[in-house]
Amino acid sequence: MPFTPLCPSCRQPTEIRRFAASTGGTLELDLCFACQGMWFDPQENTRLAPAAVLELFELLHQHRGDAHHPLADRLRCPRCSQALAKGYDVAQGGRYVTYRCAARHGRFSTFGSFMVEKGFVRHLSTMEIEALAERVGTINCTSCGGTVDIRHDHACPYCRSALSLLDPQAVDKALARHGSAARQTAPADAASPDALADALVALERNRAREERARQRERLEGTRSDEFDLLTAGIEMVWSLLRR
Ligand SMILES: [Zn+2]
Ligand SMILES: [Zn+2]
Ligand SMILES: [Zn+2]
């Protein structure tokens, strides 16, 4: 039997999924939807084919109603169980959190960090932040999941990232580069800050409603009262790409 790696955060068995590799063939990633993160063996994150990104969005969309929980204070390597070292990297999309094994077994990345690293996000404009702040008080940072009071903070107090949102155009571009399923160009940038904020709030309400419905069946802890920029962005990207 192949061994099923445990999630570095919740220590439950991860879901192993096969994705297309840019070098040809496939690679396996260990995903935890409750912790919203995945484990990369060394170099795996750079070997993920752009086409695999669409599959990843489809998976995240399928699991949109899953219960989420915050990351554990201490994350452990699925290979050697050592505590992972938390650090920050900077990509074009901004700062993102990484958790690495000192013995070089790989690293854990939240879905949000992965999106920032791959440049699938854009920074929210001041007007967009203000439009959101009129509708919701606190949001979860796309990059680290931390709670941000957007009436006062225009950057995340935990990871110090600028507030960012998944950018359908950036995702579309990555897919188009590989000639795979370049659909309609996303009209998100043409939308006014108010229209965008309304759309995001509506998406998150729908998701939260689904999450609550599922939890009535499975009594679990909930964060469904929170507004999560990452999951709202995933819904937005997914609804544009699947057309
Ligand atoms: Zn987990
Ligand atoms: Zn290790
Ligand atoms: Zn953050």
Side-chain angles (χ1 to χ4, degrees):
M1 278 295 289
F3 102 121
T4 305
L6 299 181
C7 169
S9 178
C10 68
R11 311 295 289 163
Q12 296 298 306
T14 47
E15 200 167 318
I16 300 171
R17 290 286 182 148
R18 237 172 239 285
F19 291 95
S22 53
T23 46
T26 57
L27 55 86
E28 285 181 344
L29 296 183
D30 315 337
L31 301 141
C32 180
F33 293 103
C35 297
Q36 298 218 284
M38 53 191 159
W39 177 262
F40 292 107
D41 287 341
Q43 314 308 322
E44 271 185 341
N45 62 318
T46 55
R47 289 179 52 224
L48 204 58
V53 170
L54 190 61
E55 297 168 42
L56 184 61
F57 274 108
E58 182 168 7
L59 265 180
L60 295 180
H61 171 77
Q62 283 167 7
H63 287 266
R64 66 193 179 280
D66 287 13
H68 299 158
H69 48 232
L71 291 182
D73 289 336
R74 180 169 288 222
L75 274 55
R76 294 192 175 280
C77 173
R79 315 282 183 234
C80 70
S81 296
Q82 274 193 65
L84 300 176
K86 183 178 181 179
Y88 294 95
D89 270 336
V90 180
Q92 225 181 342
R95 282 163 62 87
Y96 60 94
V97 191
T98 60
Y99 301 89
R100 294 175 197 282
C101 169
R104 296 175 184 265
H105 290 124
R107 54 173 246 216
F108 180 79
S109 185
T110 62
F111 296 141
S113 283
F114 174 77
M115 302 297 173
V116 175
E117 181 187 349
K118 293 289 173 195
F120 293 149
V121 297
R122 64 172 177 83
H123 294 168
L124 286 175
S125 72
T126 307
M127 279 166 67
E128 288 169 340
I129 293 171
E130 283 167 1
L132 260 184
E134 283 172 17
R135 292 157 176 82
V136 291
T138 61
I139 59 164
N140 291 106
C141 169
T142 295
S143 176
C144 74
T147 306
V148 186
D149 184 343
I150 53 170
R151 287 161 302 193
H152 301 112
D153 294 320
H154 285 192
C156 173
Y158 303 98
C159 69
R160 290 185 281 130
S161 297
L163 295 180
S164 58
L165 177 68
L166 273 168
D167 180 4
Q169 288 189 330
V171 179
D172 216 26
K173 258 185 228 159
L175 296 172
R177 268 201 299 276
H178 266 236
S180 84
R183 327 274 159 125
Q184 276 172 260
T185 305
D189 276 356
S192 72
D194 281 321
L196 179 71
D198 282 339
L200 290 173
V201 168
L203 286 168
E204 264 297 89
R205 281 207 187 114
N206 278 339
R207 189 193 62 81
R209 200 177 303 134
E210 282 185 37
E211 184 175 335
R212 277 194 301 273
R214 289 192 202 195
Q215 284 183 351
R216 271 196 289 274
E217 295 160 22
R218 282 184 326 203
L219 296 161
E220 284 184 39
T222 176
R223 302 197 313 170
S224 59
D225 53 329
E226 293 184 9
F227 180 87
D228 195 280
L229 262 185
L230 175 66
T231 52
I234 287 167
E235 288 303 295
M236 188 173 67
V237 167
W238 180 248
S239 66
L240 291 165
L241 290 182
R242 74 180 166 187
R243 282 180 192 160

